[in-house]
């Protein structure tokens, strides 16, 4: 009987721990950028929130429409902005990290067909603490750049 009690206690502890970690990472306003037919890639954006007491890192992602997903950032090299693949995206303890055009983002590479406004893209985000966040992100059109009038 002691073995059964220990197993029950251990299982209960694991369930409580899993429940406590289940909602530590959330995402607001996820979306995928609409691209013209023939484009080999698109990008996904959102704001990630971390309610835990420890920094977590997004270490990989997957999607439902393209061959693979990479974590990216924009960097300036010799006055030219370039996208670069990165190993992880940090989300600070009790804080947020925004993935947005011109900054951190997910690249969805190898599109077999165009994505259009109204489509939904499944995203799966994996963090270094073992959490996985599953999202459905709508496809939105690219917003035109606004020029300031002086």
């Amino acid at each position: 009987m002691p073995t059964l009690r220990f197993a029950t206690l251990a299982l209960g502890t694991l369930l409580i721990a899993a429940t406590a970690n289940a909602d530590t990472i959330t995402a607001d306003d996820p979306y995928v950028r609409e691209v013209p037919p023939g484009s080999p890639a698109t990008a996904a954006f959102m704001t990630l929130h971390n309610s835990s007491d420890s920094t977590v890192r997004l270490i990989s992602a997957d999607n439902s429409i393209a061959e693979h997903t990479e974590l990216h950032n924009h960097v300036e090299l010799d006055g030219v902005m370039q996208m670069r693949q990165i190993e992880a995206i940090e989300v600070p303890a009790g804080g947020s990290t925004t993935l947005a055009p011109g900054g951190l983002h997910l690249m969805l590479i190898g599109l077999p067909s165009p994505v259009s406004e109204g489509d939904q893209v499944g995203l799966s985000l994996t963090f270094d603490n073992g959490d996985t966040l599953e999202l459905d992100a709508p496809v939105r059109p690219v917003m035109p750049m606004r020029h300031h009038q002086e």
Side-chain angles (χ1 to χ4, degrees):
M1 266 327 220
T3 304
L4 180 59
R5 277 192 229 147
F6 177 75
T8 303
L9 179 63
L11 180 59
T13 302
L14 286 174
L15 290 174
I16 291 168
T19 302
N21 290 331
D23 296 324
T24 59
I25 305 295
T26 58
D28 280 342
D29 197 28
Y31 70 96
V32 171
R33 178 178 275 176
E34 181 181 49
V35 291
S39 294
T42 188
F45 309 103
M46 68 199 70
T47 299
L48 297 171
H49 302 282
N50 176 7
S51 63
S52 77
D53 294 334
S54 302
T55 295
V56 295
R57 295 167 25 121
L58 173 61
I59 55 172
S60 68
D62 200 6
N63 74 85
S64 64
I65 60 166
E67 292 176 15
H68 66 279
T69 309
E70 295 178 356
L71 312 178
H72 274 224
N73 197 0
H74 277 95
V75 294
E76 185 177 338
L77 295 174
D78 299 323
V80 178
M81 292 301 288
Q82 298 181 3
M83 286 186 291
R84 295 283 186 221
Q85 185 176 4
I86 57 177
E87 289 185 25
I89 296 174
E90 287 195 1
V91 186
S96 300
T97 298
T98 299
L99 284 62
L104 297 167
H105 59 280
L106 304 177
M107 285 299 300
L108 286 60
I109 302 169
L111 294 173
S113 60
V115 294
S116 302
E117 183 176 10
D119 292 346
Q120 292 283 323
V121 177
L123 298 172
S124 179
L125 311 180
T126 303
F127 297 87
D128 65 350
N129 67 351
D131 284 357
T132 300
L133 183 60
E134 304 289 334
L135 306 168
D136 285 320
V139 175
R140 294 187 190 159
V142 174
M143 300 304 289
M145 298 282 289
R146 294 182 186 213
H147 299 285
H148 295 283
Q149 300 291 328
E150 295 188 38

